[in-house]
Amino acid sequence: MKIPKKVMERWPAAVKSLVAVAISHKTKDVSEADTVTLVKDMLAEVFGYDKYNELTSEQQIRGTFCDLAVKIDGKIRVLIEVKAAAIALNETHL
C-alpha cells in the first residue's frame, strides 16, 4: 500500500505536535471523551479527514454506539472504538 504524498508531507509535523498531547493524556489519566477528541485531531491532521464532515462521534451501530466513524464518499467505512488513553486494552474492548 502506497502512502499518498500529502500524508507523507504532513505526517512529521502533525505527529510531533500530537505526541506530546498523547503522552500528557496518558499520564494525566484523562477521560475517554478527551481521548476521542485527540483521535479526531490525529485523523484530521495526519490523514487529512475533515473532522466536521467525514468524522462522526457516537455513531449508532446495531443498537449500541461506536465512539468514532469515518465517512468516505459519504458512507461510513471505518468504525473506531476509543478508550481513555491510560486504559490498558483487553479482549473485551474488541
Side-chain angles (χ1 to χ4, degrees):
M1 186 169 157
K2 187 175 178 180
I3 299 173
K5 185 179 178 183
K6 284 183 178 181
V7 173
M8 289 297 292
E9 289 172 351
R10 93 178 130 238
W11 181 274
V15 169
K16 186 177 181 179
S17 70
L18 293 168
V19 165
V21 177
I23 291 170
S24 172
H25 277 208
K26 186 173 182 180
T27 58
K28 291 181 180 177
D29 194 24
V30 300
S31 70
E32 182 175 304
D34 289 337
T35 305
V36 168
T37 300
L38 174 61
V39 172
K40 283 178 89 170
D41 288 345
M42 289 177 175
L43 290 168
E45 292 180 34
V46 176
F47 298 103
Y49 288 108
D50 179 333
K51 60 182 165 181
Y52 302 106
N53 295 309
E54 296 176 312
L55 304 176
T56 64
S57 299
E58 293 297 323
Q59 181 66 42
Q60 187 171 8
I61 304 292
R62 297 184 191 147
T64 189
F65 289 89
C66 183
D67 293 311
L68 288 172
V70 179
K71 291 181 182 178
I72 299 171
D73 297 327
K75 294 183 181 181
I76 294 174
R77 301 288 185 187
V78 179
L79 300 174
I80 302 171
E81 181 65 21
V82 178
K83 297 297 175 202
I87 298 289
L89 300 177
N90 61 47
E91 289 292 320
T92 60
H93 295 123
L94 295 176

